[in-house]
Short mmCIF file of all heavy atoms in Angstrom, two decimals:
data_model
loop_
_atom_site.label_atom_id
_atom_site.label_comp_id
_atom_site.label_asym_id
_atom_site.label_seq_id
_atom_site.Cartn_x
_atom_site.Cartn_y
_atom_site.Cartn_z
N VAL A 949 -7.14 -14.06 57.28
CA VAL A 949 -6.76 -12.83 56.56
C VAL A 949 -7.38 -11.61 57.23
O VAL A 949 -6.72 -10.58 57.43
CB VAL A 949 -7.20 -12.92 55.09
CG1 VAL A 949 -7.11 -11.56 54.41
CG2 VAL A 949 -6.33 -13.93 54.34
N GLU A 950 -8.65 -11.70 57.60
CA GLU A 950 -9.33 -10.58 58.25
C GLU A 950 -8.71 -10.25 59.60
O GLU A 950 -8.58 -9.08 59.96
CB GLU A 950 -10.81 -10.90 58.40
CG GLU A 950 -11.56 -10.99 57.07
CD GLU A 950 -12.96 -11.54 57.22
OE1 GLU A 950 -13.34 -11.86 58.38
OE2 GLU A 950 -13.66 -11.68 56.20
N ILE A 951 -8.31 -11.29 60.34
CA ILE A 951 -7.69 -11.07 61.66
C ILE A 951 -6.35 -10.35 61.50
O ILE A 951 -6.06 -9.37 62.20
CB ILE A 951 -7.52 -12.40 62.40
CG1 ILE A 951 -8.89 -12.98 62.79
CG2 ILE A 951 -6.64 -12.22 63.64
CD1 ILE A 951 -8.82 -14.39 63.34
N ILE A 952 -5.50 -10.86 60.59
CA ILE A 952 -4.19 -10.25 60.37
C ILE A 952 -4.35 -8.81 59.91
O ILE A 952 -3.62 -7.90 60.34
CB ILE A 952 -3.37 -11.06 59.35
CG1 ILE A 952 -3.11 -12.47 59.87
CG2 ILE A 952 -2.05 -10.35 59.04
CD1 ILE A 952 -2.29 -12.53 61.12
N ASP A 953 -5.32 -8.57 59.02
CA ASP A 953 -5.56 -7.22 58.50
C ASP A 953 -6.01 -6.26 59.59
O ASP A 953 -5.75 -5.06 59.51
CB ASP A 953 -6.63 -7.27 57.40
CG ASP A 953 -6.06 -6.89 56.05
OD1 ASP A 953 -4.87 -6.50 56.00
OD2 ASP A 953 -6.78 -6.99 55.04
N ALA A 954 -6.69 -6.78 60.59
CA ALA A 954 -7.25 -5.92 61.64
C ALA A 954 -6.26 -5.63 62.77
O ALA A 954 -6.52 -4.75 63.59
CB ALA A 954 -8.51 -6.56 62.21
N LEU A 955 -5.15 -6.36 62.83
CA LEU A 955 -4.20 -6.16 63.92
C LEU A 955 -3.51 -4.80 63.80
O LEU A 955 -3.14 -4.38 62.71
CB LEU A 955 -3.15 -7.27 63.91
CG LEU A 955 -3.63 -8.68 64.27
CD1 LEU A 955 -2.50 -9.69 64.12
CD2 LEU A 955 -4.18 -8.71 65.69
N PRO A 956 -3.31 -4.11 64.93
CA PRO A 956 -2.62 -2.81 64.92
C PRO A 956 -1.11 -3.00 64.76
O PRO A 956 -0.40 -3.26 65.74
CB PRO A 956 -2.97 -2.20 66.28
CG PRO A 956 -3.23 -3.38 67.16
CD PRO A 956 -3.79 -4.47 66.28
N PHE A 957 -0.63 -2.86 63.56
CA PHE A 957 0.76 -3.17 63.20
C PHE A 957 1.75 -2.40 64.08
O PHE A 957 2.64 -2.98 64.70
CB PHE A 957 0.97 -2.82 61.73
CG PHE A 957 2.40 -2.83 61.28
CD1 PHE A 957 3.01 -4.01 60.89
CD2 PHE A 957 3.15 -1.66 61.24
CE1 PHE A 957 4.33 -4.03 60.49
CE2 PHE A 957 4.46 -1.67 60.82
CZ PHE A 957 5.06 -2.86 60.44
N LEU A 958 1.63 -1.09 64.12
CA LEU A 958 2.63 -0.26 64.80
C LEU A 958 2.63 -0.49 66.31
O LEU A 958 3.68 -0.53 66.95
CB LEU A 958 2.40 1.21 64.49
CG LEU A 958 3.56 2.16 64.79
CD1 LEU A 958 4.83 1.70 64.07
CD2 LEU A 958 3.22 3.59 64.41
N ILE A 959 1.45 -0.66 66.90
CA ILE A 959 1.36 -0.87 68.35
C ILE A 959 2.03 -2.19 68.74
O ILE A 959 2.78 -2.27 69.72
CB ILE A 959 -0.10 -0.85 68.81
CG1 ILE A 959 -0.70 0.55 68.62
CG2 ILE A 959 -0.21 -1.28 70.27
CD1 ILE A 959 -2.17 0.65 68.96
N ILE A 960 1.78 -3.23 67.94
CA ILE A 960 2.41 -4.53 68.22
C ILE A 960 3.92 -4.42 68.06
O ILE A 960 4.69 -4.98 68.87
CB ILE A 960 1.83 -5.60 67.28
CG1 ILE A 960 0.35 -5.81 67.57
CG2 ILE A 960 2.60 -6.92 67.44
CD1 ILE A 960 -0.33 -6.78 66.63
N LEU A 961 4.37 -3.69 67.04
CA LEU A 961 5.81 -3.54 66.82
C LEU A 961 6.47 -2.82 67.99
O LEU A 961 7.52 -3.25 68.49
CB LEU A 961 6.05 -2.76 65.52
CG LEU A 961 7.52 -2.43 65.20
CD1 LEU A 961 8.33 -3.71 65.05
CD2 LEU A 961 7.61 -1.58 63.96
N ILE A 962 5.85 -1.75 68.45
CA ILE A 962 6.41 -0.99 69.58
C ILE A 962 6.50 -1.87 70.82
O ILE A 962 7.50 -1.87 71.55
CB ILE A 962 5.57 0.26 69.85
CG1 ILE A 962 5.66 1.23 68.67
CG2 ILE A 962 6.03 0.95 71.13
CD1 ILE A 962 4.71 2.41 68.78
N THR A 963 5.44 -2.65 71.07
CA THR A 963 5.41 -3.52 72.25
C THR A 963 6.49 -4.58 72.19
O THR A 963 7.23 -4.80 73.15
CB THR A 963 4.03 -4.19 72.37
OG1 THR A 963 3.00 -3.18 72.41
CG2 THR A 963 3.96 -5.03 73.63
N LEU A 964 6.61 -5.25 71.03
CA LEU A 964 7.57 -6.33 70.91
C LEU A 964 9.01 -5.83 70.95
O LEU A 964 9.88 -6.46 71.56
CB LEU A 964 7.33 -7.10 69.60
CG LEU A 964 6.05 -7.95 69.55
CD1 LEU A 964 5.91 -8.63 68.21
CD2 LEU A 964 6.05 -8.98 70.67
N THR A 965 9.28 -4.69 70.32
CA THR A 965 10.65 -4.16 70.35
C THR A 965 11.04 -3.71 71.75
O THR A 965 12.21 -3.76 72.12
CB THR A 965 10.81 -2.99 69.37
OG1 THR A 965 9.79 -2.00 69.62
CG2 THR A 965 10.70 -3.46 67.94
N THR A 966 10.06 -3.29 72.52
CA THR A 966 10.34 -2.91 73.91
C THR A 966 10.69 -4.13 74.75
O THR A 966 11.56 -4.08 75.63
CB THR A 966 9.11 -2.21 74.53
OG1 THR A 966 8.79 -1.06 73.75
CG2 THR A 966 9.41 -1.77 75.96
N VAL A 967 10.04 -5.25 74.45
CA VAL A 967 10.24 -6.47 75.24
C VAL A 967 11.49 -7.23 74.81
O VAL A 967 12.32 -7.62 75.64
CB VAL A 967 9.00 -7.38 75.15
CG1 VAL A 967 9.25 -8.70 75.88
CG2 VAL A 967 7.79 -6.67 75.73
N ILE A 968 11.63 -7.47 73.49
CA ILE A 968 12.72 -8.34 73.01
C ILE A 968 13.79 -7.60 72.22
O ILE A 968 14.77 -8.21 71.79
CB ILE A 968 12.15 -9.50 72.15
CG1 ILE A 968 11.41 -8.95 70.93
CG2 ILE A 968 11.28 -10.39 72.97
CD1 ILE A 968 10.85 -10.04 70.03
N GLY A 969 13.62 -6.31 72.00
CA GLY A 969 14.63 -5.55 71.27
C GLY A 969 14.46 -5.65 69.77
O GLY A 969 13.57 -6.33 69.26
N ARG A 970 15.36 -4.96 69.07
CA ARG A 970 15.29 -4.90 67.61
C ARG A 970 16.50 -5.59 67.00
O ARG A 970 17.59 -5.53 67.54
CB ARG A 970 15.27 -3.44 67.13
CG ARG A 970 13.98 -2.70 67.44
CD ARG A 970 14.09 -1.26 66.99
NE ARG A 970 14.89 -0.46 67.92
CZ ARG A 970 15.39 0.74 67.63
NH1 ARG A 970 15.25 1.24 66.43
NH2 ARG A 970 16.08 1.40 68.53
N SER A 971 16.26 -6.25 65.87
CA SER A 971 17.34 -6.87 65.11
C SER A 971 16.85 -7.04 63.68
O SER A 971 15.65 -6.96 63.40
CB SER A 971 17.74 -8.22 65.70
OG SER A 971 16.70 -9.16 65.53
N PHE A 972 17.78 -7.29 62.78
CA PHE A 972 17.42 -7.49 61.37
C PHE A 972 16.50 -8.69 61.21
O PHE A 972 15.47 -8.61 60.52
CB PHE A 972 18.69 -7.67 60.54
CG PHE A 972 18.45 -7.78 59.06
CD1 PHE A 972 18.37 -6.65 58.28
CD2 PHE A 972 18.31 -9.03 58.47
CE1 PHE A 972 18.15 -6.75 56.91
CE2 PHE A 972 18.09 -9.14 57.10
CZ PHE A 972 18.00 -8.00 56.32
N ILE A 973 16.83 -9.81 61.86
CA ILE A 973 16.03 -11.02 61.73
C ILE A 973 14.62 -10.80 62.29
O ILE A 973 13.62 -11.21 61.69
CB ILE A 973 16.72 -12.20 62.43
CG1 ILE A 973 18.05 -12.53 61.74
CG2 ILE A 973 15.81 -13.42 62.47
CD1 ILE A 973 18.83 -13.62 62.42
N PHE A 974 14.55 -10.13 63.45
CA PHE A 974 13.23 -9.88 64.04
C PHE A 974 12.38 -9.02 63.11
O PHE A 974 11.19 -9.30 62.91
CB PHE A 974 13.39 -9.17 65.39
CG PHE A 974 12.11 -8.57 65.90
CD1 PHE A 974 11.13 -9.38 66.45
CD2 PHE A 974 11.88 -7.20 65.81
CE1 PHE A 974 9.94 -8.84 66.91
CE2 PHE A 974 10.69 -6.66 66.27
CZ PHE A 974 9.72 -7.47 66.81
N MET A 975 12.97 -7.96 62.52
CA MET A 975 12.21 -7.09 61.64
C MET A 975 11.72 -7.82 60.40
O MET A 975 10.60 -7.61 59.93
CB MET A 975 13.07 -5.88 61.24
CG MET A 975 13.40 -4.93 62.38
SD MET A 975 11.93 -4.23 63.16
CE MET A 975 11.16 -3.40 61.78
N VAL A 976 12.57 -8.71 59.86
CA VAL A 976 12.17 -9.49 58.69
C VAL A 976 10.99 -10.40 59.02
O VAL A 976 9.99 -10.45 58.28
CB VAL A 976 13.36 -10.32 58.16
CG1 VAL A 976 12.89 -11.38 57.16
CG2 VAL A 976 14.40 -9.42 57.51
#
Side-chain angles (χ1 to χ4, degrees):
V949 167
E950 293 170 0
I951 292 172
I952 298 297
D953 246 355
L955 292 176
F957 169 85
L958 196 56
I959 294 176
I960 295 176
L961 176 61
I962 295 172
T963 304
L964 290 179
T965 53
T966 302
V967 175
I968 60 179
R970 290 177 283 164
S971 68
F972 184 87
I973 296 176
F974 166 76
M975 293 301 300
V976 166

